[in-house]
Amino acid sequence: MTAALTLQDLMIAPAPASAWVLERDCVETGLDPQDIRTEMRRRIGEMRASIERGLQSDARSITGMVGWNAKGLWDAPDALNAPLLRRVQAYAMAVNEENARMGRIVAAPTAGSAGTIPGALLGVADHLGLPDERLVDPMILAAGVGKAISKRMFISGAAGGCQAEIGSSAAMAAAAVVELLGGSPRAAIHAASLALMNTIGLVCDPVGGYVEVPCVSRNAFFAVHAVSAAQLALAQLESFIPPDEVLGAMASVGRMMPAALRETADGGLAQTPTGLAVTARMEGREEGELPGGMVELPLA
Protein backbone atom coordinates (compact mmCIF):
# COMPACT_ATOMS: atom_id res chain seq x y z
CA MET A 1 0.00 0.00 0.00
CA THR A 2 1.38 3.41 -0.95
CA ALA A 3 1.65 6.18 1.63
CA ALA A 4 -0.92 8.97 1.64
CA LEU A 5 -0.12 11.59 -0.97
CA THR A 6 1.10 14.95 0.37
CA LEU A 7 1.67 18.32 -1.22
CA GLN A 8 5.36 17.89 -0.40
CA ASP A 9 5.41 14.70 -2.50
CA LEU A 10 4.02 16.64 -5.43
CA MET A 11 6.41 19.53 -4.92
CA ILE A 12 9.52 17.35 -5.13
CA ALA A 13 8.20 15.11 -7.90
CA PRO A 14 10.20 14.98 -11.14
CA ALA A 15 8.87 17.34 -13.78
CA PRO A 16 6.26 17.30 -15.09
CA ALA A 17 4.45 16.58 -11.85
CA SER A 18 1.39 15.37 -13.76
CA ALA A 19 3.38 12.42 -15.15
CA TRP A 20 4.34 11.38 -11.61
CA VAL A 21 0.71 11.68 -10.49
CA LEU A 22 -0.45 9.60 -13.45
CA GLU A 23 2.13 6.89 -12.82
CA ARG A 24 1.22 6.67 -9.13
CA ASP A 25 -2.49 6.56 -9.92
CA CYS A 26 -2.00 3.72 -12.39
CA VAL A 27 -0.11 1.73 -9.76
CA GLU A 28 -2.88 2.31 -7.20
CA THR A 29 -5.84 1.60 -9.49
CA GLY A 30 -4.43 -0.81 -12.05
CA LEU A 31 -5.81 1.39 -14.83
CA ASP A 32 -4.00 2.00 -18.09
CA PRO A 33 -2.52 5.52 -18.48
CA GLN A 34 -4.33 6.04 -21.78
CA ASP A 35 -7.66 5.16 -20.18
CA ILE A 36 -7.10 7.83 -17.53
CA ARG A 37 -6.07 10.38 -20.13
CA THR A 38 -9.13 9.52 -22.25
CA GLU A 39 -11.40 10.03 -19.25
CA MET A 40 -9.73 13.36 -18.50
CA ARG A 41 -10.33 14.48 -22.09
CA ARG A 42 -13.99 13.58 -21.65
CA ARG A 43 -14.23 15.67 -18.51
CA ILE A 44 -12.56 18.62 -20.19
CA GLY A 45 -15.16 18.28 -22.93
CA GLU A 46 -17.95 18.35 -20.35
CA MET A 47 -16.45 21.46 -18.80
CA ARG A 48 -16.25 23.09 -22.21
CA ALA A 49 -19.87 22.21 -22.96
CA SER A 50 -21.14 23.61 -19.66
CA ILE A 51 -19.26 26.85 -20.29
CA GLU A 52 -20.77 27.20 -23.76
CA ARG A 53 -24.30 26.54 -22.52
CA GLY A 54 -23.87 28.89 -19.59
CA LEU A 55 -22.60 31.76 -21.72
CA GLN A 56 -25.58 31.47 -24.07
CA SER A 57 -28.36 31.20 -21.50
CA ASP A 58 -30.01 33.75 -19.27
CA ALA A 59 -32.64 31.33 -17.98
CA ARG A 60 -33.18 31.80 -14.27
CA SER A 61 -32.58 29.09 -11.71
CA ILE A 62 -35.54 27.64 -9.82
CA THR A 63 -35.09 30.19 -7.04
CA GLY A 64 -34.70 33.07 -9.49
CA MET A 65 -31.55 34.29 -7.73
CA VAL A 66 -29.09 33.56 -10.56
CA GLY A 67 -29.00 32.55 -14.20
CA TRP A 68 -28.15 35.69 -16.17
CA ASN A 69 -24.79 36.65 -14.68
CA ALA A 70 -22.38 34.79 -16.97
CA LYS A 71 -24.13 35.81 -20.19
CA GLY A 72 -24.51 39.36 -18.92
CA LEU A 73 -20.79 39.69 -18.24
CA TRP A 74 -19.82 37.96 -21.48
CA ASP A 75 -22.04 40.24 -23.58
CA ALA A 76 -21.17 43.47 -21.76
CA PRO A 77 -18.48 45.89 -22.94
CA ASP A 78 -15.08 45.13 -21.42
CA ALA A 79 -14.88 48.27 -19.30
CA LEU A 80 -11.43 47.45 -17.90
CA ASN A 81 -10.03 46.24 -21.24
CA ALA A 82 -8.99 43.08 -19.40
CA PRO A 83 -10.10 40.17 -21.61
CA LEU A 84 -8.44 37.47 -19.50
CA LEU A 85 -10.11 38.69 -16.33
CA ARG A 86 -13.54 38.82 -17.96
CA ARG A 87 -13.10 35.43 -19.62
CA VAL A 88 -12.04 33.69 -16.41
CA GLN A 89 -14.94 35.20 -14.46
CA ALA A 90 -17.56 34.50 -17.12
CA TYR A 91 -16.43 30.91 -17.65
CA ALA A 92 -16.57 30.20 -13.93
CA MET A 93 -20.04 31.69 -13.51
CA ALA A 94 -21.30 29.93 -16.64
CA VAL A 95 -20.52 26.55 -15.10
CA ASN A 96 -22.06 27.34 -11.74
CA GLU A 97 -25.20 28.81 -13.28
CA GLU A 98 -25.54 25.62 -15.30
CA ASN A 99 -25.34 23.78 -11.99
CA ALA A 100 -28.05 26.04 -10.53
CA ARG A 101 -30.23 25.25 -13.56
CA MET A 102 -29.65 21.52 -12.92
CA GLY A 103 -27.46 21.25 -16.02
CA ARG A 104 -24.60 18.82 -16.47
CA ILE A 105 -21.30 19.94 -14.92
CA VAL A 106 -18.09 18.35 -13.65
CA ALA A 107 -17.76 18.55 -9.86
CA ALA A 108 -14.22 19.80 -9.36
CA PRO A 109 -13.96 18.82 -6.59
CA THR A 110 -17.58 19.68 -5.65
CA ALA A 111 -20.60 21.03 -7.51
CA GLY A 112 -20.51 24.25 -5.51
CA SER A 113 -16.92 24.90 -6.60
CA ALA A 114 -17.25 23.45 -10.09
CA GLY A 115 -16.58 26.70 -11.95
CA THR A 116 -13.16 27.53 -10.52
CA ILE A 117 -11.02 25.06 -12.47
CA PRO A 118 -12.70 25.52 -15.86
CA GLY A 119 -12.81 29.26 -15.29
CA ALA A 120 -9.11 29.50 -14.54
CA LEU A 121 -7.62 26.72 -16.66
CA LEU A 122 -9.81 26.89 -19.76
CA GLY A 123 -9.97 30.65 -19.45
CA VAL A 124 -6.18 31.00 -19.52
CA ALA A 125 -5.85 28.43 -22.32
CA ASP A 126 -8.42 30.18 -24.50
CA HIS A 127 -6.85 33.56 -23.79
CA LEU A 128 -3.53 32.21 -25.05
CA GLY A 129 -5.02 30.20 -27.92
CA LEU A 130 -3.94 26.81 -26.53
CA PRO A 131 -5.82 23.65 -27.62
CA ASP A 132 -7.75 21.49 -25.17
CA GLU A 133 -5.23 18.66 -25.58
CA ARG A 134 -2.76 20.85 -23.68
CA LEU A 135 -5.13 20.77 -20.69
CA VAL A 136 -4.99 17.02 -20.06
CA ASP A 137 -1.74 16.97 -18.08
CA PRO A 138 -2.61 20.06 -15.99
CA MET A 139 -5.96 18.44 -15.17
CA ILE A 140 -4.16 15.30 -14.00
CA LEU A 141 -2.01 17.43 -11.70
CA ALA A 142 -5.12 19.23 -10.43
CA ALA A 143 -6.57 15.83 -9.55
CA GLY A 144 -3.39 14.97 -7.67
CA VAL A 145 -3.57 18.20 -5.68
CA GLY A 146 -7.21 17.54 -4.88
CA LYS A 147 -6.36 14.04 -3.71
CA ALA A 148 -3.57 15.33 -1.45
CA ILE A 149 -5.94 17.90 0.07
CA SER A 150 -8.65 15.29 0.65
CA LYS A 151 -6.21 13.17 2.66
CA ARG A 152 -5.86 15.96 5.24
CA MET A 153 -9.30 17.55 5.40
CA PHE A 154 -12.87 17.30 4.18
CA ILE A 155 -13.62 19.10 0.93
CA SER A 156 -17.29 19.79 1.64
CA GLY A 157 -18.70 23.09 2.85
CA ALA A 158 -20.83 21.21 5.35
CA ALA A 159 -17.72 19.79 6.99
CA GLY A 160 -15.22 22.63 6.73
CA GLY A 161 -16.83 25.79 5.39
CA CYS A 162 -16.47 27.18 1.90
CA GLN A 163 -12.72 27.34 2.44
CA ALA A 164 -12.76 23.57 2.04
CA GLU A 165 -14.61 23.71 -1.29
CA ILE A 166 -13.52 26.87 -3.04
CA GLY A 167 -10.10 26.79 -1.39
CA SER A 168 -9.51 23.28 -2.70
CA SER A 169 -10.73 24.12 -6.19
CA ALA A 170 -8.61 27.30 -6.30
CA ALA A 171 -5.53 25.34 -5.22
CA MET A 172 -6.18 22.68 -7.85
CA ALA A 173 -6.72 25.35 -10.52
CA ALA A 174 -3.63 27.33 -9.54
CA ALA A 175 -1.39 24.28 -9.80
CA ALA A 176 -2.93 23.35 -13.14
CA VAL A 177 -2.36 26.81 -14.61
CA VAL A 178 1.29 26.72 -13.52
CA GLU A 179 1.84 23.38 -15.25
CA LEU A 180 -0.01 24.59 -18.35
CA LEU A 181 2.42 27.50 -18.57
CA GLY A 182 5.53 25.36 -18.10
CA GLY A 183 6.15 25.94 -14.41
CA SER A 184 7.99 23.48 -12.19
CA PRO A 185 6.34 21.12 -9.69
CA ARG A 186 7.66 23.35 -6.92
CA ALA A 187 6.02 26.42 -8.48
CA ALA A 188 2.76 24.54 -9.03
CA ILE A 189 2.47 23.43 -5.41
CA HIS A 190 3.45 26.82 -4.06
CA ALA A 191 0.71 28.29 -6.25
CA ALA A 192 -1.69 25.81 -4.65
CA SER A 193 -0.44 26.79 -1.21
CA LEU A 194 -0.85 30.51 -1.90
CA ALA A 195 -4.40 29.88 -3.09
CA LEU A 196 -5.19 27.84 0.03
CA MET A 197 -3.69 30.21 2.57
CA ASN A 198 -5.71 33.11 1.22
CA THR A 199 -9.03 31.30 1.55
CA ILE A 200 -8.60 30.15 5.16
CA GLY A 201 -11.67 30.99 7.25
CA LEU A 202 -14.13 31.46 4.37
CA VAL A 203 -17.59 30.46 5.57
CA CYS A 204 -20.26 28.54 3.69
CA ASP A 205 -23.49 30.57 3.91
CA PRO A 206 -25.68 29.78 0.87
CA VAL A 207 -28.91 31.76 0.85
CA GLY A 208 -31.80 29.40 1.43
CA GLY A 209 -29.38 26.49 1.36
CA TYR A 210 -29.20 26.73 -2.45
CA VAL A 211 -25.82 26.64 -4.21
CA GLU A 212 -26.44 29.97 -5.90
CA VAL A 213 -25.77 33.05 -3.74
CA PRO A 214 -22.94 33.73 -3.08
CA CYS A 215 -21.66 30.56 -4.77
CA VAL A 216 -21.93 31.63 -8.43
CA SER A 217 -20.01 34.90 -8.05
CA ARG A 218 -17.65 33.30 -5.52
CA ASN A 219 -16.44 30.91 -8.22
CA ALA A 220 -15.73 33.89 -10.47
CA PHE A 221 -13.70 35.59 -7.75
CA PHE A 222 -11.72 32.49 -6.85
CA ALA A 223 -11.00 31.50 -10.43
CA VAL A 224 -9.23 34.86 -10.68
CA HIS A 225 -7.67 34.11 -7.27
CA ALA A 226 -6.23 30.89 -8.72
CA VAL A 227 -4.77 32.70 -11.73
CA SER A 228 -3.24 35.29 -9.40
CA ALA A 229 -1.64 32.55 -7.30
CA ALA A 230 -0.24 30.95 -10.46
CA GLN A 231 1.21 34.24 -11.64
CA LEU A 232 2.93 34.81 -8.31
CA ALA A 233 4.39 31.30 -8.26
CA LEU A 234 5.58 31.52 -11.87
CA ALA A 235 7.50 34.63 -10.82
CA GLN A 236 9.14 32.39 -8.16
CA LEU A 237 7.21 33.83 -5.23
CA GLU A 238 6.55 31.14 -2.65
CA SER A 239 4.37 30.48 0.35
CA PHE A 240 6.33 31.30 3.51
CA ILE A 241 4.47 28.56 5.36
CA PRO A 242 5.16 25.11 3.80
CA PRO A 243 2.22 23.83 1.73
CA ASP A 244 1.30 20.90 3.96
CA GLU A 245 1.37 23.17 7.03
CA VAL A 246 -0.99 25.56 5.23
CA LEU A 247 -3.29 22.62 4.56
CA GLY A 248 -3.11 21.57 8.21
CA ALA A 249 -4.01 25.09 9.32
CA MET A 250 -7.02 25.14 7.01
CA ALA A 251 -8.19 21.77 8.35
CA SER A 252 -7.83 23.07 11.90
CA VAL A 253 -9.85 26.19 11.14
CA GLY A 254 -12.54 24.01 9.54
CA ARG A 255 -12.85 21.97 12.71
CA MET A 256 -13.17 25.15 14.79
CA MET A 257 -15.79 26.70 12.53
CA PRO A 258 -19.28 26.74 14.12
CA ALA A 259 -22.01 24.71 12.45
CA ALA A 260 -23.94 27.88 11.59
CA LEU A 261 -21.17 28.77 9.14
CA ARG A 262 -20.91 25.36 7.47
CA GLU A 263 -23.61 25.11 4.78
CA THR A 264 -26.52 25.06 7.22
CA ALA A 265 -27.89 28.44 6.08
CA ASP A 266 -27.99 29.40 9.77
CA GLY A 267 -25.44 32.21 9.49
CA GLY A 268 -23.83 34.79 7.24
CA LEU A 269 -25.64 35.93 4.11
CA ALA A 270 -28.31 33.28 4.57
CA GLN A 271 -29.52 35.03 7.72
CA THR A 272 -29.82 38.52 6.26
CA PRO A 273 -33.38 39.86 5.90
CA THR A 274 -33.27 39.24 2.16
CA GLY A 275 -31.81 35.78 2.66
CA LEU A 276 -34.54 34.86 5.11
CA ALA A 277 -37.23 36.22 2.81
CA VAL A 278 -35.94 34.07 -0.06
CA THR A 279 -35.94 31.03 2.20
CA ALA A 280 -39.52 31.67 3.31
CA ARG A 281 -40.67 32.18 -0.28
CA MET A 282 -39.06 28.96 -1.47
CA GLU A 283 -40.63 27.07 1.42
CA GLY A 284 -44.07 28.57 0.75
CA ARG A 285 -44.21 30.45 4.03
CA GLU A 286 -45.45 33.96 4.74
CA GLU A 287 -42.85 36.50 5.73
CA GLY A 288 -42.29 36.21 9.47
CA GLU A 289 -43.78 32.72 9.63
CA LEU A 290 -41.37 30.19 11.03
CA PRO A 291 -40.95 26.65 9.66
CA GLY A 292 -43.81 24.44 10.83
CA GLY A 293 -46.39 27.23 10.64
CA MET A 294 -45.31 29.07 13.80
CA VAL A 295 -45.11 32.86 13.75
CA GLU A 296 -42.29 34.75 15.41
CA LEU A 297 -43.68 37.30 17.88
CA PRO A 298 -41.87 40.57 18.61
CA LEU A 299 -40.04 40.84 21.92
CA ALA A 300 -41.87 42.82 24.60
Side-chain angles (χ1 to χ4, degrees), residues 210-227:
Y210 298 93
V211 187
E212 299 184 18
V213 174
C215 315
V216 168
S217 62
R218 186 167 286 172
N219 274 263
F221 278 98
F222 280 90
V224 174
H225 177 83
V227 174

PDB file of all heavy atoms in Angstrom, residues 210-227:
ATOM      1  N   TYR A 210     -29.390  27.008  -1.028  1.00  0.00           N
ATOM      2  CA  TYR A 210     -29.196  26.727  -2.448  1.00  0.00           C
ATOM      3  C   TYR A 210     -27.788  27.132  -2.873  1.00  0.00           C
ATOM      4  O   TYR A 210     -27.280  28.170  -2.434  1.00  0.00           O
ATOM      5  CB  TYR A 210     -30.229  27.465  -3.296  1.00  0.00           C
ATOM      6  CG  TYR A 210     -31.648  27.051  -3.001  1.00  0.00           C
ATOM      7  CD1 TYR A 210     -32.416  27.747  -2.078  1.00  0.00           C
ATOM      8  CD2 TYR A 210     -32.214  25.951  -3.637  1.00  0.00           C
ATOM      9  CE1 TYR A 210     -33.718  27.367  -1.790  1.00  0.00           C
ATOM     10  CE2 TYR A 210     -33.520  25.557  -3.362  1.00  0.00           C
ATOM     11  CZ  TYR A 210     -34.263  26.269  -2.432  1.00  0.00           C
ATOM     12  OH  TYR A 210     -35.547  25.883  -2.145  1.00  0.00           O
ATOM     13  N   VAL A 211     -27.182  26.366  -3.759  1.00  0.00           N
ATOM     14  CA  VAL A 211     -25.816  26.641  -4.206  1.00  0.00           C
ATOM     15  C   VAL A 211     -25.854  27.694  -5.311  1.00  0.00           C
ATOM     16  O   VAL A 211     -25.560  27.413  -6.475  1.00  0.00           O
ATOM     17  CB  VAL A 211     -25.135  25.342  -4.674  1.00  0.00           C
ATOM     18  CG1 VAL A 211     -23.654  25.596  -4.966  1.00  0.00           C
ATOM     19  CG2 VAL A 211     -25.268  24.263  -3.609  1.00  0.00           C
ATOM     20  N   GLU A 212     -26.260  28.900  -4.924  1.00  0.00           N
ATOM     21  CA  GLU A 212     -26.444  29.970  -5.904  1.00  0.00           C
ATOM     22  C   GLU A 212     -25.831  31.291  -5.437  1.00  0.00           C
ATOM     23  O   GLU A 212     -24.983  31.856  -6.110  1.00  0.00           O
ATOM     24  CB  GLU A 212     -27.941  30.142  -6.204  1.00  0.00           C
ATOM     25  CG  GLU A 212     -28.577  28.877  -6.792  1.00  0.00           C
ATOM     26  CD  GLU A 212     -30.027  29.065  -7.179  1.00  0.00           C
ATOM     27  OE1 GLU A 212     -30.457  30.225  -7.327  1.00  0.00           O
ATOM     28  OE2 GLU A 212     -30.743  28.057  -7.333  1.00  0.00           O
ATOM     29  N   VAL A 213     -26.279  31.794  -4.302  1.00  0.00           N
ATOM     30  CA  VAL A 213     -25.767  33.051  -3.742  1.00  0.00           C
ATOM     31  C   VAL A 213     -25.160  32.743  -2.373  1.00  0.00           C
ATOM     32  O   VAL A 213     -25.861  32.190  -1.519  1.00  0.00           O
ATOM     33  CB  VAL A 213     -26.892  34.095  -3.590  1.00  0.00           C
ATOM     34  CG1 VAL A 213     -26.379  35.340  -2.877  1.00  0.00           C
ATOM     35  CG2 VAL A 213     -27.479  34.462  -4.950  1.00  0.00           C
ATOM     36  N   PRO A 214     -23.874  33.016  -2.194  1.00  0.00           N
ATOM     37  CA  PRO A 214     -22.943  33.727  -3.082  1.00  0.00           C
ATOM     38  C   PRO A 214     -22.135  32.827  -3.998  1.00  0.00           C
ATOM     39  O   PRO A 214     -21.140  33.274  -4.585  1.00  0.00           O
ATOM     40  CB  PRO A 214     -22.019  34.402  -2.072  1.00  0.00           C
ATOM     41  CG  PRO A 214     -21.895  33.385  -0.977  1.00  0.00           C
ATOM     42  CD  PRO A 214     -23.269  32.753  -0.861  1.00  0.00           C
ATOM     43  N   CYS A 215     -22.517  31.580  -4.159  1.00  0.00           N
ATOM     44  CA  CYS A 215     -21.664  30.565  -4.767  1.00  0.00           C
ATOM     45  C   CYS A 215     -21.272  30.887  -6.213  1.00  0.00           C
ATOM     46  O   CYS A 215     -20.125  30.661  -6.618  1.00  0.00           O
ATOM     47  CB  CYS A 215     -22.348  29.219  -4.690  1.00  0.00           C
ATOM     48  SG  CYS A 215     -23.075  28.870  -3.065  1.00  0.00           S
ATOM     49  N   VAL A 216     -22.221  31.377  -7.017  1.00  0.00           N
ATOM     50  CA  VAL A 216     -21.928  31.627  -8.427  1.00  0.00           C
ATOM     51  C   VAL A 216     -20.842  32.692  -8.578  1.00  0.00           C
ATOM     52  O   VAL A 216     -19.829  32.489  -9.254  1.00  0.00           O
ATOM     53  CB  VAL A 216     -23.205  32.036  -9.184  1.00  0.00           C
ATOM     54  CG1 VAL A 216     -22.858  32.569 -10.572  1.00  0.00           C
ATOM     55  CG2 VAL A 216     -24.150  30.845  -9.303  1.00  0.00           C
ATOM     56  N   SER A 217     -21.027  33.841  -7.935  1.00  0.00           N
ATOM     57  CA  SER A 217     -20.014  34.896  -8.050  1.00  0.00           C
ATOM     58  C   SER A 217     -18.735  34.520  -7.320  1.00  0.00           C
ATOM     59  O   SER A 217     -17.642  34.934  -7.717  1.00  0.00           O
ATOM     60  CB  SER A 217     -20.560  36.219  -7.507  1.00  0.00           C
ATOM     61  OG  SER A 217     -20.882  36.116  -6.132  1.00  0.00           O
ATOM     62  N   ARG A 218     -18.849  33.717  -6.269  1.00  0.00           N
ATOM     63  CA  ARG A 218     -17.648  33.299  -5.525  1.00  0.00           C
ATOM     64  C   ARG A 218     -16.726  32.492  -6.423  1.00  0.00           C
ATOM     65  O   ARG A 218     -15.503  32.602  -6.345  1.00  0.00           O
ATOM     66  CB  ARG A 218     -18.051  32.507  -4.284  1.00  0.00           C
ATOM     67  CG  ARG A 218     -16.895  32.151  -3.366  1.00  0.00           C
ATOM     68  CD  ARG A 218     -17.396  31.654  -2.024  1.00  0.00           C
ATOM     69  NE  ARG A 218     -17.908  32.742  -1.205  1.00  0.00           N
ATOM     70  CZ  ARG A 218     -18.553  32.572  -0.047  1.00  0.00           C
ATOM     71  NH1 ARG A 218     -18.778  31.342   0.405  1.00  0.00           N
ATOM     72  NH2 ARG A 218     -18.973  33.608   0.651  1.00  0.00           N
ATOM     73  N   ASN A 219     -17.278  31.655  -7.286  1.00  0.00           N
ATOM     74  CA  ASN A 219     -16.441  30.915  -8.224  1.00  0.00           C
ATOM     75  C   ASN A 219     -15.726  31.854  -9.186  1.00  0.00           C
ATOM     76  O   ASN A 219     -14.567  31.615  -9.547  1.00  0.00           O
ATOM     77  CB  ASN A 219     -17.275  29.892  -8.994  1.00  0.00           C
ATOM     78  CG  ASN A 219     -17.420  28.583  -8.248  1.00  0.00           C
ATOM     79  OD1 ASN A 219     -16.683  27.625  -8.493  1.00  0.00           O
ATOM     80  ND2 ASN A 219     -18.354  28.531  -7.316  1.00  0.00           N
ATOM     81  N   ALA A 220     -16.389  32.913  -9.596  1.00  0.00           N
ATOM     82  CA  ALA A 220     -15.732  33.891 -10.466  1.00  0.00           C
ATOM     83  C   ALA A 220     -14.560  34.544  -9.757  1.00  0.00           C
ATOM     84  O   ALA A 220     -13.458  34.673 -10.306  1.00  0.00           O
ATOM     85  CB  ALA A 220     -16.742  34.954 -10.907  1.00  0.00           C
ATOM     86  N   PHE A 221     -14.776  34.951  -8.510  1.00  0.00           N
ATOM     87  CA  PHE A 221     -13.700  35.590  -7.751  1.00  0.00           C
ATOM     88  C   PHE A 221     -12.526  34.645  -7.534  1.00  0.00           C
ATOM     89  O   PHE A 221     -11.365  35.042  -7.673  1.00  0.00           O
ATOM     90  CB  PHE A 221     -14.233  36.078  -6.398  1.00  0.00           C
ATOM     91  CG  PHE A 221     -14.930  37.394  -6.455  1.00  0.00           C
ATOM     92  CD1 PHE A 221     -16.313  37.459  -6.531  1.00  0.00           C
ATOM     93  CD2 PHE A 221     -14.215  38.582  -6.456  1.00  0.00           C
ATOM     94  CE1 PHE A 221     -16.965  38.679  -6.599  1.00  0.00           C
ATOM     95  CE2 PHE A 221     -14.861  39.805  -6.523  1.00  0.00           C
ATOM     96  CZ  PHE A 221     -16.242  39.854  -6.591  1.00  0.00           C
ATOM     97  N   PHE A 222     -12.818  33.392  -7.196  1.00  0.00           N
ATOM     98  CA  PHE A 222     -11.723  32.492  -6.847  1.00  0.00           C
ATOM     99  C   PHE A 222     -11.082  31.828  -8.055  1.00  0.00           C
ATOM    100  O   PHE A 222      -9.968  31.299  -7.944  1.00  0.00           O
ATOM    101  CB  PHE A 222     -12.184  31.496  -5.784  1.00  0.00           C
ATOM    102  CG  PHE A 222     -12.159  32.140  -4.417  1.00  0.00           C
ATOM    103  CD1 PHE A 222     -13.267  32.808  -3.937  1.00  0.00           C
ATOM    104  CD2 PHE A 222     -11.006  32.138  -3.663  1.00  0.00           C
ATOM    105  CE1 PHE A 222     -13.240  33.447  -2.708  1.00  0.00           C
ATOM    106  CE2 PHE A 222     -10.967  32.771  -2.436  1.00  0.00           C
ATOM    107  CZ  PHE A 222     -12.080  33.427  -1.951  1.00  0.00           C
ATOM    108  N   ALA A 223     -11.702  31.867  -9.209  1.00  0.00           N
ATOM    109  CA  ALA A 223     -11.005  31.500 -10.431  1.00  0.00           C
ATOM    110  C   ALA A 223      -9.911  32.530 -10.720  1.00  0.00           C
ATOM    111  O   ALA A 223      -8.780  32.182 -11.091  1.00  0.00           O
ATOM    112  CB  ALA A 223     -11.982  31.399 -11.602  1.00  0.00           C
ATOM    113  N   VAL A 224     -10.246  33.800 -10.532  1.00  0.00           N
ATOM    114  CA  VAL A 224      -9.235  34.857 -10.677  1.00  0.00           C
ATOM    115  C   VAL A 224      -8.168  34.707  -9.594  1.00  0.00           C
ATOM    116  O   VAL A 224      -6.964  34.885  -9.847  1.00  0.00           O
ATOM    117  CB  VAL A 224      -9.898  36.248 -10.610  1.00  0.00           C
ATOM    118  CG1 VAL A 224      -8.846  37.353 -10.607  1.00  0.00           C
ATOM    119  CG2 VAL A 224     -10.869  36.434 -11.769  1.00  0.00           C
ATOM    120  N   HIS A 225      -8.584  34.371  -8.388  1.00  0.00           N
ATOM    121  CA  HIS A 225      -7.670  34.115  -7.271  1.00  0.00           C
ATOM    122  C   HIS A 225      -6.653  33.043  -7.659  1.00  0.00           C
ATOM    123  O   HIS A 225      -5.449  33.176  -7.385  1.00  0.00           O
ATOM    124  CB  HIS A 225      -8.531  33.662  -6.084  1.00  0.00           C
ATOM    125  CG  HIS A 225      -7.814  33.289  -4.850  1.00  0.00           C
ATOM    126  ND1 HIS A 225      -7.383  34.202  -3.913  1.00  0.00           N
ATOM    127  CD2 HIS A 225      -7.470  32.072  -4.341  1.00  0.00           C
ATOM    128  CE1 HIS A 225      -6.814  33.584  -2.898  1.00  0.00           C
ATOM    129  NE2 HIS A 225      -6.849  32.284  -3.136  1.00  0.00           N
ATOM    130  N   ALA A 226      -7.121  31.969  -8.297  1.00  0.00           N
ATOM    131  CA  ALA A 226      -6.228  30.890  -8.718  1.00  0.00           C
ATOM    132  C   ALA A 226      -5.221  31.375  -9.756  1.00  0.00           C
ATOM    133  O   ALA A 226      -4.033  31.027  -9.692  1.00  0.00           O
ATOM    134  CB  ALA A 226      -7.049  29.728  -9.287  1.00  0.00           C
ATOM    135  N   VAL A 227      -5.684  32.158 -10.717  1.00  0.00           N
ATOM    136  CA  VAL A 227      -4.774  32.697 -11.731  1.00  0.00           C
ATOM    137  C   VAL A 227      -3.745  33.622 -11.085  1.00  0.00           C
ATOM    138  O   VAL A 227      -2.560  33.604 -11.446  1.00  0.00           O
ATOM    139  CB  VAL A 227      -5.560  33.419 -12.835  1.00  0.00           C
ATOM    140  CG1 VAL A 227      -4.625  34.101 -13.822  1.00  0.00           C
ATOM    141  CG2 VAL A 227      -6.478  32.446 -13.569  1.00  0.00           C
TER     142      VAL A 227
END
